[in-house]
Amino acid sequence: NALVNIGLNFGADEADGSGSGTLAADEVAGVVPQANWNNLDLLEGTSEATIVADVDGMPVATDATVTWTSNNTWASTGRGEENNLFTGSDLTLMTGYLDTGAATTSTVTISGIPADVADAGYDAYVYLLGGVPLKGGGYRVLSGSTVLADYVIAEPPANPDSYVEVVPMPEGAIGNYIRFCGLTAADITIEATTDGGLGFGDNPRAPINAVQLVSPASCVPPPMPPTMTITHNE
């Protein structure tokens, strides 16, 4: 089966409206390298152009839509805060991002994920790199009100030049992407939050530079914790 990627590049108009965060269709970037990234501007919006998937390097139109909200956009380089030593197309991908405030939540809702992608299962990669390192927050995936993957606490590293996966740990972990495994929902919402005590560091932030759906899934979700039922007998 062909590898199907749907790449969403947020803050593409950064840094500071220059558009230096915009990827050309033939530029290849990402943990799972792909071309045909969808460039999305501004702090909030709904996709107006057709969302395309990358299938073996070719753009394929989909019926998916993307809606995003955030407190702000900012950049890991070019805004006076320099925290990005990537090169080439990966530098571009990791430049602009959706930014939270000290106690706010950013959301990315992807609706109408193609049936063949959902049926095969997919992994959602969430990229995070702020202009200042070691400011973190919580990231999770929902479908409607159902939590598909609970909070992963993460903080971007200082001046990365390569991709480092966040390995979930109770106290949080350093990295610049999170992989949520084995999803099958046709509609998902990714939350990045510094609210509810999930932010850490001075003036905490939970950036979203990009989201990449990769199908078929290459990993399986961790098992759900066991539940306990207590019945009181008179």
Side-chain angles (χ1 to χ4, degrees):
N1 293 335
L3 190 67
V4 179
N5 299 330
I6 299 175
L8 309 173
N9 176 31
F10 294 99
D13 51 330
E14 289 287 349
D16 199 19
S18 68
S20 61
T22 298
L23 287 162
D26 62 351
E27 288 191 88
V28 174
V31 176
V32 180
Q34 73 160 91
N36 300 301
W37 283 85
N38 298 273
N39 295 301
L40 302 168
D41 297 341
L42 305 177
L43 61 89
E44 61 184 1
T46 297
S47 54
E48 296 181 356
T50 298
I51 296 298
V52 299
D54 179 82
V55 183
D56 293 334
M58 298 298 295
V60 176
T62 76
D63 292 327
T65 60
V66 182
T67 299
W68 65 98
T69 63
S70 70
N71 184 68
N72 190 23
T73 61
W74 202 253
S76 61
T77 180
R79 279 274 205 173
E81 296 176 343
E82 298 299 322
N83 190 41
N84 186 342
L85 295 182
F86 281 92
T87 60
S89 300
D90 292 298
L91 169 65
T92 303
L93 180 67
M94 299 300 279
T95 290
Y97 59 90
L98 303 180
D99 198 14
T100 61
T104 62
T105 301
S106 299
T107 63
V108 173
T109 298
I110 309 168
S111 303
I113 294 169
D116 55 344
V117 171
D119 289 346
Y122 58 92
D123 302 328
Y125 290 72
V126 180
Y127 294 77
L128 51 135
L129 183 62
V132 177
L134 308 182
K135 294 183 176 185
Y139 297 78
R140 68 174 179 172
V141 183
L142 305 94
S143 182
S145 60
T146 301
V147 176
L148 302 181
D150 211 349
Y151 286 115
V152 173
I153 309 301
E155 55 182 308
N159 293 310
D161 59 7
S162 60
Y163 291 112
V164 178
E165 184 171 4
V166 173
V167 179
M169 300 174 65
E171 67 274 17
I174 295 175
N176 49 33
Y177 76 94
I178 303 167
R179 181 171 52 163
F180 293 103
C181 296
L183 304 174
T184 58
D187 308 290
I188 61 170
T189 296
I190 295 166
E191 290 186 348
T193 189
T194 52
D195 202 4
L198 293 173
F200 57 91
D202 293 335
N203 297 315
R205 296 290 187 268
I208 299 179
N209 301 67
V211 172
Q212 184 183 30
L213 307 184
V214 178
S215 179
S218 63
C219 57
V220 296
M224 294 295 288
T227 58
M228 179 182 296
T229 301
I230 300 174
T231 302
H232 178 69
N233 294 321
E234 295 291 342

